Amino acid sequence: MSKVSYDVSNGVAILKMCNPPVNSLSFGLRKDLLAAVEAARADAAVNAIVLIGDANGFCAGADINEFSTGGAAKSPNPHEVHFSIELSEKPIVAAIHGNCMGGGFELAMCCHYRVATEDAKLSLPEVKLGLLPGRGGTQRLPRLVGLEMATNMIVSGEPVAASVLGELGALDQVVPADKLLESALAYAAKVAELRPIPLASSKKVKHPDYEGYLGFMRNSLRPAAASNPAPLKCLDAIRAAVEQAFKAGLETEERIFQELMCTPVSIALRHYFFAEREARHIEGLGDDVKPLSIRSVGIIGAGTMGGGIAMNFLNAGIPVTILELKQEALDKGIQVVRKNYQIQVDKKKLKADKLEARMALLSGTLEYESLSGCDLIIEAVFEDMGVKEKVFRELDRVAKPGAILASNTSNLDVNTIASFTKRPESVLGLHFFSPANVMKLLEIVRGDKTSLQALATAMELAKRIRKVAVVAGVCDGFIGNRMLGPYLMAAAYLVEEGASPQQVDRALERFGFAMGPFRMGDLAGGDIGLAVRKRKVAEDPNFQYPQFLDQVAEMGRYGQKTGKGMYLYQGRNAEADPDIDALLESYRLEMGIEPRAISDDEIISRCLLALANEGAKILEDGIAARASDLDIVYIYGYGFPAYRGGPMHYASSLGLNEVALTLRHIANTARGNRAQWEPARLITTLAEQGKTFSSSSHQ
């Protein structure tokens, strides 16, 4: 069945692309589109042509899977399709709605005229994959909208409103969404006899001082070039649009595109792109499993987490009822939600009427019975199993049949929590990350008895509140915090052996982390870390860790909230503290440790391999479905740099045989629990087979 339908209306051929879900320009669509264009060019009954997408939008771009399979070069390649359109003797009008991105926008620019809906989203986002628009985008867009607008669009990858592009001449008409086809047909009929037919490729790029402008942009973009070389390379291609003939410019663009395709940054960013999409696929969760409708949400706890969680649902237009035990705590929590919205209003990120509309959806209560009508109830109370038990027994008593009961726990056993109810099939974990109204990650924790319907509901709800969801099984810490433990211990033992907290943080921040482990610990709170360590010792008397961590916390140095932790704080500004230096010197002396010089490379190696090794054990235990899920958790939840692809991708890029050898070396030389550093069985197996995490059955 053809992916492009062909109809004729009053002398205008209508070519409708239909390649679900987003009309990506895969080989099949290109082949059928080229055939349809050629048929319309040869059809004596056709005077003009309209190219339009189906209900899913115009075209969301290239099929990125083809970048690694070679399918993008398969004939007809995009350039062949573009030239057939551009050289048509009959004018072709692109009718644009929905997403018109990347290769889709490049396709539209090949058409002679463009009509778009007011809400159409047009962009060239390839730079976000470490690439440039490689199918004429860097050559045609400057010719259509001018050098400065084109450069800004290409190096940022951000969408531009149809109204703006219309004013600049890239769009010939901007019309209401329900008038698109009608308007495009009328426009096609209007221009059917006009000659010459306008070609983007025949225009010249004019600018009074293009060298000065591109030099200014180069200086502006250079600081970020270490993490993504693509924006600077885009400038090279854009310069070609100014200085070279169109065909030569295309050749320059293609050469740079192929160079970028091979860079570690682009490989990592493309991995991250696919990993996010793959995380949505849950084994056993087919189209036959229908999610429940969530029309109202209850939240237990009006503290920082509870209020932040509530905002996600209010933003999506879902009514929320927050429960607290005391009126004072309830009033304070609701006021904090209002304050957070007011900050957005003050920054002009939210209109005042939207603030009031969202607050109107929020109500408070001191009675569990007020939650009896909620479709979903989320517990966000203190991380203590005894407290959780009291809450879930009450929820089991008052919640209506079929309501989903969720815990925001970050570490505790969801199966145990489910056992406090008579409906374990309706219980799961929804681990939001702080601040919950900002962080995009949502760990969905699937209990042993969690139903497929409850899981499907959580996945659908995550999409509705614009979270990136990753499903985890039940274990201590699930995915993120389980991996975090060995990472933090690796950092702490490095300090015990001679590094300073500042050196460890600086090394990892230079690698690309948003925040080093000690600054992160001070932000979370030293008391939290102390409680976790005490719990682990109670559960496992053999659990080992550097005792200076407890010494710091037991001095009341809990981090930012007390003004002192591993650092001194003036507001959020962290400064080295001589008292910590003295404490560490005394501690090492007492422990008989001779401090040694430690390189930044060793810091990065030990901390990152601690993450990857524990991640491999998580995969062995079946806690996660695939290695790339772990990468998504760390990129979205823990500040791992996206341009490194995540800890599992990074380990794969080193070579798993090298990873196994390095882990064994660390096991023989580092302080602490040697067994923690023994390579996971999955790592050694994949290394012996010459495979990576992404080529294993776990990916």
Side-chain angles (χ1 to χ4, degrees):
M1 183 176 178
S2 176
K3 296 181 182 297
V4 180
S5 63
Y6 186 104
D7 293 294
V8 178
S9 175
N10 297 323
V12 178
I14 304 170
L15 312 184
K16 180 181 287 188
M17 298 178 286
C18 183
N19 186 27
V22 293
N23 281 339
S24 60
L25 278 169
S26 60
F27 168 73
L29 178 57
R30 297 197 306 269
K31 177 173 66 70
D32 292 345
L33 178 56
L34 180 61
V37 170
E38 293 300 319
R41 291 175 67 178
D43 191 338
V46 170
N47 301 313
I49 302 164
V50 167
L51 176 61
I52 193 169
D54 61 10
N56 294 313
F58 182 75
C59 174
D63 183 347
I64 299 174
N65 284 300
E66 292 188 341
F67 287 1
S68 55
T69 64
K74 192 175 180 181
S75 184
N77 63 45
H79 287 307
E80 292 174 275
V81 176
H82 292 174
F83 290 138
S84 175
I85 290 173
E86 197 165 42
L87 299 178
S88 169
E89 308 81 4
K90 301 171 182 179
I92 300 181
V93 178
I96 303 165
H97 74 293
N99 289 325
C100 181
M101 302 165 65
F105 192 17
E106 289 172 314
L107 176 66
M109 286 190 280
C110 295
C111 296
H112 309 119
Y113 302 96
R114 287 157 292 279
V115 175
T117 61
E118 296 162 332
D119 58 353
K121 297 178 181 178
L122 301 100
S123 66
L124 293 173
E126 287 85 352
V127 71
K128 296 181 179 181
L129 296 179
L131 299 169
L132 55 66
R135 298 298 180 262
T138 66
Q139 304 305 297
R140 288 188 175 91
L141 188 60
R143 288 172 161 86
L144 284 172
V145 301
L147 179 65
E148 295 190 16
M149 173 57 78
T151 301
N152 285 325
M153 285 188 70
I154 290 167
V155 302
S156 73
E158 295 300 320
V160 173
S163 59
V164 173
L165 291 175
E167 291 172 2
L168 291 170
L171 302 176
D172 298 282
Q173 277 192 347
V174 179
V175 301
D178 60 347
K179 302 289 186 182
L180 178 61
L181 182 58
E182 172 189 334
S183 301
L185 288 170
Y187 199 86
K190 174 183 172 183
V191 300
E193 303 301 327
L194 290 182
R195 297 295 182 275
I197 296 175
L199 307 179
S201 59
S202 67
K203 297 177 181 291
K204 299 291 185 183
V205 182
K206 297 179 181 180
H207 193 278
D209 182 15
Y210 77 88
E211 288 188 334
Y213 174 72
L214 291 176
F216 165 76
M217 289 299 296
R218 186 170 296 278
N219 289 333
S220 300
L221 295 168
R222 189 170 282 117
S227 61
N228 186 357
L232 287 180
K233 290 293 187 179
C234 287
L235 296 182
D236 293 339
I238 292 167
R239 176 181 286 272
V242 182
E243 297 179 342
Q244 299 177 357
F246 182 74
K247 184 178 179 182
L250 284 181
E251 291 171 354
T252 299
E253 179 189 78
E254 177 66 18
R255 173 180 57 77
I256 297 172
F257 180 85
Q258 294 301 330
E259 290 173 2
L260 287 171
M261 278 283 292
C262 300
T263 61
V265 169
S266 181
I267 292 168
L269 288 172
R270 296 197 314 266
H271 164 79
Y272 155 61
F273 175 87
F274 287 116
E276 182 178 336
R277 282 146 186 79
E278 188 65 21
R280 302 169 187 165
H281 301 143
I282 310 301
E283 187 176 354
L285 208 59
D287 293 338
D288 57 321
V289 182
K290 301 301 180 186
L292 297 167
S293 176
I294 302 297
R295 296 175 296 260
S296 61
V297 173
I299 295 174
I300 313 296
T304 301
M305 283 305 299
I309 292 169
M311 290 179 69
N312 291 285
F313 297 101
L314 300 176
N315 295 345
I318 302 172
V320 174
T321 302
I322 293 184
L323 181 144
E324 262 293 355
L325 297 180
K326 295 182 179 179
Q327 188 67 46
E328 181 181 4
L330 180 61
D331 293 342
K332 181 181 178 182
I334 291 176
Q335 276 304 114
V336 169
V337 172
R338 176 175 283 277
K339 179 182 176 182
N340 287 338
Y341 279 132
Q342 186 60 52
I343 290 171
Q344 294 181 27
V345 172
D346 294 342
K347 292 181 178 179
K348 302 190 183 306
K349 294 182 177 180
L350 185 72
K351 293 183 178 179
D353 60 337
K354 294 287 187 182
L355 182 157
E356 296 304 333
R358 292 176 187 180
M359 291 303 299
L361 296 171
L362 179 62
S363 59
T365 184
L366 303 178
E367 304 292 336
Y368 273 91
E369 280 75 12
S370 300
L371 306 179
S372 61
C374 293
D375 301 305
L376 166 69
I377 305 175
I378 303 171
E379 161 274 308
V381 301
F382 188 68
E383 195 77 335
D384 177 87
M385 190 61 84
V387 176
K388 308 282 190 191
E389 179 175 1
K390 291 178 182 177
V391 168
F392 273 84
R393 291 197 186 281
E394 280 296 289
L395 293 181
D396 192 41
R397 179 179 66 83
V398 303
K400 68 181 182 180
I404 293 178
L405 309 181
S407 174
N408 182 52
T409 181
S410 59
N411 285 282
L412 300 180
D413 189 327
V414 171
N415 290 326
T416 300
I417 291 172
S419 72
F420 301 142
T421 75
K422 298 182 181 67
R423 52 176 106 186
E425 71 283 354
S426 297
V427 178
L428 46 68
L430 291 179
H431 178 207
F432 290 81
F433 285 70
S434 184
N437 55 306
V438 175
M439 298 291 283
K440 289 192 69 174
L441 180 66
L442 177 63
E443 268 187 324
I444 298 177
V445 186
R446 181 181 191 175
D448 292 346
K449 296 183 179 179
T450 301
S451 71
L452 286 175
Q453 187 176 48
L455 188 61
T457 303
M459 292 295 291
E460 179 63 29
L461 190 61
K463 188 190 306 182
R464 190 173 169 191
I465 63 174
R466 299 185 177 181
K467 295 295 186 187
V468 176
V470 173
V471 174
V474 176
C475 67
D476 188 1
F478 317 129
I479 293 173
N481 283 340
R482 176 170 163 179
M483 291 172 69
L484 185 67
Y487 169 78
L488 295 178
M489 288 302 102
Y493 276 116
L494 284 161
V495 168
E496 188 176 77
E497 292 173 32
S500 69
Q502 303 94 272
Q503 184 196 1
V504 173
D505 282 350
R506 279 196 305 266
L508 289 160
E509 287 163 11
R510 286 194 194 108
F511 176 82
F513 273 90
M515 189 177 290
F518 294 105
R519 286 182 59 213
M520 182 175 66
D522 277 355
L523 178 62
D527 52 336
I528 303 297
L530 180 64
V532 170
R533 291 190 296 275
K534 288 186 178 299
R535 176 176 64 82
K536 286 182 176 291
V537 169
E539 295 169 354
D540 178 11
N542 295 318
F543 177 67
Q544 299 177 40
Y545 61 94
Q547 295 298 309
F548 76 83
L549 295 172
D550 285 359
Q551 292 178 12
V552 173
E554 287 165 354
M555 293 166 64
R557 300 180 65 114
Y558 293 157
Q560 285 192 22
K561 59 188 171 186
T562 59
K564 292 182 179 181
M566 297 301 290
Y567 292 88
L568 277 176
Y569 289 90
Q570 294 292 332
R572 294 185 179 274
N573 295 323
E575 299 177 2
D577 188 347
D579 289 347
I580 290 294
D581 296 338
L583 181 150
L584 290 170
E585 184 178 351
S586 174
Y587 171 79
R588 293 179 187 126
L589 187 62
E590 180 183 341
M591 297 291 292
I593 300 170
E594 182 68 31
R596 64 182 180 86
I598 296 174
S599 70
D600 286 1
D601 286 346
E602 182 179 353
I603 290 169
I604 292 168
S605 177
R606 277 171 63 169
C607 290
L608 267 62
L609 294 191
L611 282 175
N613 201 35
E614 192 63 31
K617 294 173 185 177
I618 285 173
L619 294 171
E620 290 173 5
D621 294 345
I623 299 302
R626 55 190 73 86
S628 59
D629 284 0
L630 280 57
D631 290 331
I632 290 299
V633 166
Y634 261 78
I635 288 170
Y636 277 113
Y638 295 85
F640 197 100
Y643 63 87
R644 304 280 192 183
M648 311 309 286
H649 174 82
Y650 179 77
S652 289
S653 72
L654 297 176
L656 294 188
N657 188 58
E658 181 66 24
V659 167
L661 289 172
T662 305
L663 285 168
R664 291 191 179 105
H665 172 73
I666 297 171
N668 290 326
T669 57
R671 292 180 58 79
N673 184 356
R674 175 172 176 167
Q676 183 68 50
W677 290 107
E678 286 298 322
R681 185 177 64 255
L682 179 60
I683 289 177
T684 57
T685 300
L686 292 175
E688 289 167 359
Q689 297 172 348
K691 293 182 177 180
T692 65
F693 288 120
S694 61
S695 61
S696 77
S697 59
H698 294 274
Q699 173 68 15

